[in-house]
Each structure stands twice: as structure tokens, then as C-alpha cells.
Amino acid sequence: MTISASATILNVNDDEATRYLSTRTLTMAGYRVLEAGTGEEALRLAEQERPDVVVLDVKLPDISGYEVCQRLRARPETASIAVMHTSATYVTPDKKVRGLEGGADAYLTEPFESEELIATVRSLLRMRRAEQELRRRAEQLTETDRRKDLFLAMLAHELRNPLAAITTAVGILERRTSVDPKDGRMVSIIQRQTNHLARLVDDLLDVSRITRGKVELRRLRVDLRGVLEQVLTTFHPLAEGRHLKLESRLPAMPLWMEGDTTRLEQVFTNLLDNATKYTDAGGSIQVRVELSPAGDGSPGALVRVKDTGIGIRADVLPVVFELFSQADESLERTRGGLGIGLTLVHNLVEMHGGRVEAHSDGPGKGSEFVVWLPLLPAASVSEQEVVLPTLVKRRRHILLVEDNADARQALQDLLETWGHRVEVAADGLRGLELAVQRTPELALVDIGLPGLDGYRVAAELRAKMGHGIRLVALTGYGGTDDQSRARQAGFDLHLVKPVKPDELSRLLSEL
């Protein structure tokens, strides 16, 4: 075996004769050898020289070799150095165990043959190099993962700007009466495909955040039945467009639980999207809800989403919730999708304290996804929590700060169609000037603005106008850190592009 001349060994022993013999053996084997006669000197040399291996006698005049080893392991700069204990007196099994438990990588009893010393050093060097290679690869993977997350965030931001403009423009077209029925069909197609693209962007980012533990639920008391009704209302037109029969059977009373409304909607949107994607025209989708207490008697609900689609093979069922797993693996990829929707479903359901299962009798026999979620005890839901807010509509004075020309024009037209008075600015500095001069009651501010970004605009407006203006962030960045930064800058709300017209209308009504 060829030995690298760059390998450095620190030989620590207070007995000069023993230290000399070990140093000579190691030097003749091609190693660079440093010497120390005390524990403190060994620690100083280890920190300065960073040797590859320390050959460390247990019995030293100042501090024991056990303590030297522990202190080496405790310091980040010396923690990875390989340590081999040697001793002529501390040779009982309990002493060896103490040394190894204290952080040593090997233990030799003196006297030892030179071949045994060299072989042990070589073994430790191989181990150290393997650890260094693993650490280097781990650092590369961490950096690659960081760059991937940064790329996904930038990609989502760039995709959401045009999606925001398209969504807003379609919202305007939907409210106009057209003589030609084809126009209405084209608008519906654009709206459905834009919503689909927006969901893909959200899923792509969410699966990255969830796998890194970066998603936190905004837990509130939520009516699960209301969540399902909202999702079903959204999917009825899509099902009709695909010539599918969408049936539902929901309980008459509310199903109160503690959860995140947005994430729960995401769960059932993905399940219904999956069902419509894998069910051909003429098929059917059923959504049923059953009360199902947990094993300890606590309340719970089962939500069943069953379709008559292409089904799932038996070998795919065990991995259907794994990332990038798909039922349609044909070269044609006629069903589309990224293979991440069910991974999101599984993780989000578990984050709510629930579970999800997939069932199918095989190809061509449809599939069923069953979600169990815990419900709140009836006594914990007060009467006030079932009262819905009253929506009050009124004309408002709005400042829109957006650098994307298409998105700015489309959103301005939509707001003016609703009767609002709108001021517009293409950059942060102009937006700040208009806000101070015209004193709008609400400012919709993009974050990625030239010159003065949205965070600085918000901070300046809060400093100049206090709470006399409501600030809403419009951005393609939707991570938890982005939301926290928006709140710290002074924003009242954080909306992720593209914002659906109905959501924006509701926001203005509830303001």
C-alpha cells in the first residue's frame, strides 16, 4: 500500500525511549511525525498542526490521555482527528472500554510490534479519509440542496408574475357578456389551465419545504365540511368539462377540527385533481364523509375519495405516496403531473395528526383514497365559532405598486371594474411618493420592485403614515420566512401570486 507523505502523526508519550521508538517506526514508514511529552503540549500541537492521527499514551504527567481525547473531541477544529490510545499499565478490559467510550478510535497495549503500530495507523487513516469524503459529499449535497431551493423559489416567483396577469385578465373577461359562446369556452379553458399551473408551482415549492421541515400549520378551528364544500364547488365545473360525474355525501352538521384551512384545501384539491386526471370521460368520482372515532374513542372523520379511473397496480400501491411515484408511467405520459401531489397529501395529513391510505383492486378498476382526521370534542366548540363573518362591500381608494406591466394593467382594470379608485406605480419610490401624496386606504405592493423593494416601501409607509393605511404584500415568494419578513416589514397581509379575483374581492370586502 502506498502511504501519502502528507499524513501527519502526533506522537504523545512522556517516556522518551518509547516515544523515540514509535517516532522512528512512523518516520521510516513515510509519515511526518510531531512529538509531545505532556497532555497540554499535545492539545496545543493538535490545534496548531491538525494532525491526521494522534498516538496518545494514557498515562501522562499533567492530564490523562482520556481527558486529552475528550478535549480533542469537544473542540470542533480537532473533533475529527483520529485518536489511538497506547498504554503499558492501563491494559485491563475496563480501561480499554473507558478509552474507546471516551472517543478513542483504537487501543494498543505496549509493548507492540512496529508492524502492528503501522497497520493500526493505516487503518485509522483509511477511516479518516472515508469520513472526510463522506463529509465533503454531505457538504456538496447540502449546497446543492440550498441552490435547488433557491432556484425553485426564483422559478416560482418568475412563473407567478405572468400567472398573476393571466388570472386577473381572465377574471375581467369572465364578467363581460360575450355574443359568441366560443369566447366563454376559451375563457374557461384558460382559467382551468392557469389554475392548474398555479397548483403545480405551489406543489413544487411545498414538497421542497415539507421535506425539509420548513412548513408550519396555521392552526385554527376549522369546519372540515366547509372545506370540502369549497373544494367541491371548485371542482364541479372541471368535472363537467371532462364529462365526469362528481357526487358527494357530506354530513348535515359542521365537522369542527383544529387545522390549517389552506393546507386542508390543498389535501382534498390534490386528491380530486388526481381522481379527475386518472378517470376517463363518462366515469364518476364520489366523495363521502363518515364519522369514525379513533381507537381511544376520540372523535374523527373519514373522507373517502373514490373514482372509476385507471386504478393502481398492486406493486405501485405500497409506494404511491413516495415522491415522484406515478400510476401512469407510460412513455406517452398522457395523464401529466409531477408525481408530488400525493406526497404532499400524505405529509400534510400526518401534520394534522391524521392518516391517509390508498386502495385499488388493480388496473382498470378505479381507486379509493381514505383520509382520517381527528375532530374536536363537541364541548370544545363554542356558539361564537359557528358565526360566519358578514361581508360588506364598498368603494375603496387603492394604491397598486407593481413593476410587471401586464400584471399591473390587468389588476388595475379588475379593481376599477369593481368600482374602486386606483392609483398605480411601477417602482417602490414612486409608490411611496403616491402613498404620501394621495393617502390611499389600502396599498397592494409587490415585493420584487426595482430600486426600493416592497419590504422597504412597507417600512417607510409605516414610519410616515402609521396604521392609517392597510398594507398587503403581493409576491411570488410564499415561504414561511417570506411571510415572517413581510410581517416584520409592516405588512398586514401576505398574498402569493397569482391571487384569484374571488379571493381579492373577499379581502377587499372584509377589510
Side-chain angles (χ1 to χ4, degrees):
M1 174 180 175
T2 302
I3 300 300
S4 171
S6 62
T8 299
I9 313 297
L10 174 57
N11 184 19
V12 187
N13 199 309
D14 64 324
D15 184 88
E16 293 186 5
T18 303
R19 188 172 69 241
Y20 170 79
L21 290 174
S22 297
T23 296
R24 181 174 175 78
T25 299
L26 293 167
T27 302
M28 291 180 65
Y31 298 111
R32 172 176 175 253
V33 183
L34 306 172
E35 290 187 335
T38 66
E40 292 294 347
E41 186 182 7
L43 290 170
R44 179 180 58 80
L45 283 173
E47 188 168 353
Q48 290 177 353
E49 300 290 338
R50 308 289 172 83
D52 299 284
V53 178
V54 178
V55 179
L56 178 62
D57 189 37
V58 171
K59 187 179 180 181
L60 296 171
D62 52 351
I63 56 177
S64 72
Y66 299 131
E67 184 176 343
V68 172
C69 184
Q70 290 170 356
R71 286 166 66 174
L72 287 173
R73 292 287 179 254
R75 298 176 182 177
E77 59 272 14
T78 59
S80 63
I81 297 174
V83 176
M84 176 174 61
H85 275 321
T86 64
S87 180
T89 55
Y90 293 84
V91 296
T92 57
D94 61 309
K95 300 298 183 182
K96 293 182 180 180
V97 169
R98 179 183 174 187
L100 296 173
E101 290 288 348
D105 301 289
Y107 201 112
L108 287 185
T109 300
E110 299 176 2
F112 43 75
E113 297 294 331
S114 59
E115 291 84 357
E116 186 180 8
L117 174 62
I118 297 301
T120 305
V121 167
R122 285 175 173 170
S123 174
L124 293 178
L125 285 172
R126 287 195 297 270
M127 178 186 70
R128 187 173 188 273
R129 286 165 184 158
E131 289 176 349
Q132 290 174 335
E133 179 62 19
L134 288 174
R135 191 178 298 111
R136 185 184 65 81
R137 290 183 181 180
E139 291 172 353
Q140 287 179 340
L141 289 173
T142 300
E143 176 61 17
T144 301
D145 192 55
R146 187 191 69 80
R147 290 177 178 273
K148 179 259 297 178
D149 292 332
L150 180 61
F151 169 75
L152 288 177
M154 293 297 297
L155 176 65
H157 181 266
E158 294 303 315
L159 289 174
R160 279 171 172 158
N161 272 326
L163 284 173
I166 295 170
T167 300
T168 307
V170 171
I172 295 173
L173 294 175
E174 282 183 325
R175 287 162 173 78
R176 294 186 177 179
T177 304
S178 175
V179 177
D180 190 343
K182 290 183 180 178
D183 292 346
R185 290 197 295 273
M186 294 302 104
V187 169
S188 296
I189 291 172
I190 296 171
Q191 183 66 70
R192 285 197 300 273
Q193 296 304 317
T194 303
N195 289 340
H196 182 59
L197 282 173
R199 282 201 301 273
L200 288 177
V201 171
D202 289 339
D203 285 354
L204 193 61
L205 283 177
D206 280 340
V207 76
S208 175
R209 288 195 291 260
I210 287 176
T211 53
R212 291 182 296 120
K214 295 291 187 179
V215 170
E216 294 182 3
L217 299 182
R218 297 181 179 180
R219 294 182 181 274
L220 297 170
R221 279 182 165 82
V222 178
D223 178 12
L224 178 59
R225 183 193 63 173
V227 170
L228 291 168
E229 286 177 342
Q230 176 65 35
V231 173
L232 286 166
T233 299
T234 303
F235 265 87
H236 271 294
L238 178 61
E240 291 175 0
R242 289 176 173 264
H243 304 289
L244 300 173
K245 185 178 182 181
L246 179 57
E247 302 174 328
S248 61
R249 192 172 72 195
L250 307 182
M253 70 288 194
L255 299 174
W256 293 102
M257 64 173 292
E258 188 179 78
D260 186 319
T261 302
T262 300
R263 296 302 182 181
L264 289 171
E265 287 184 357
Q266 192 174 5
V267 165
F268 296 109
T269 294
N270 273 323
L271 289 178
L272 280 172
D273 185 58
N274 199 65
T276 56
K277 185 191 306 177
Y278 290 105
T279 304
D280 294 325
S284 65
I285 302 170
Q286 295 181 342
V287 179
R288 293 185 296 134
V289 180
E290 307 166 4
L291 294 179
S292 176
D296 60 0
S298 57
L302 276 181
V303 182
R304 299 180 180 273
V305 180
K306 187 173 184 179
D307 63 63
T308 59
I310 66 172
I312 305 173
R313 299 197 316 267
D315 61 311
V316 175
L317 270 174
V319 297
V320 74
F321 294 107
E322 292 184 7
L323 194 59
F324 306 127
S325 175
Q326 294 185 331
D328 181 9
E329 297 176 341
S330 62
L331 292 177
E332 296 87 354
R333 295 282 292 109
T334 56
R335 308 286 175 170
L338 299 175
I340 59 180
L342 291 180
T343 302
L344 284 175
V345 168
H346 181 266
N347 288 327
L348 289 173
V349 168
E350 286 197 340
M351 289 174 70
H352 280 87
R355 61 181 183 272
V356 59
E357 300 172 353
H359 304 282
S360 177
D361 291 331
K365 297 183 179 180
S367 58
E368 181 180 38
F369 288 86
V370 182
V371 176
W372 183 88
L373 290 167
L375 299 178
L376 290 170
S380 67
V381 182
S382 68
E383 291 295 326
Q384 291 182 339
E385 289 167 333
V386 301
V387 178
L388 298 177
T390 302
L391 305 184
V392 180
K393 294 186 178 181
R394 57 179 288 257
R395 185 173 182 267
R396 300 191 181 280
H397 183 191
I398 300 171
L399 169 64
L400 171 61
V401 188
E402 168 64 73
D403 66 319
N404 185 287
D406 288 340
R408 183 174 65 249
Q409 185 63 61
L411 190 51
Q412 180 184 3
D413 289 345
L414 179 63
L415 293 170
E416 290 178 345
T417 299
W418 291 342
H420 300 295
R421 176 187 168 197
V422 184
E423 312 274 359
V424 295
D427 59 73
L429 189 59
R430 179 56 180 162
L432 190 60
E433 292 174 354
L434 283 176
V436 174
Q437 293 171 4
R438 309 290 175 82
T439 62
E441 55 186 308
L442 169 69
L444 302 172
V445 185
D446 184 29
I447 296 297
L449 296 170
L452 203 66
D453 66 34
Y455 298 123
R456 293 177 61 191
V457 170
E460 290 287 339
L461 287 178
R462 279 286 175 253
K464 294 177 184 296
M465 304 178 67
H467 291 278
I469 183 173
R470 300 296 297 276
L471 300 177
V472 178
L474 294 178
T475 175
Y477 298 107
T480 303
D481 294 341
D482 303 308
Q483 296 173 22
S484 299
R485 189 177 176 188
R487 287 194 297 271
Q488 292 170 2
F491 282 106
D492 298 296
L493 289 172
H494 176 277
L495 299 182
V496 180
K497 296 178 180 178
V499 181
K500 295 179 181 178
D502 291 344
E503 293 177 359
L504 184 59
S505 177
R506 184 167 63 250
L507 163 66
L508 296 175
S509 298
E510 295 174 348
L511 195 64

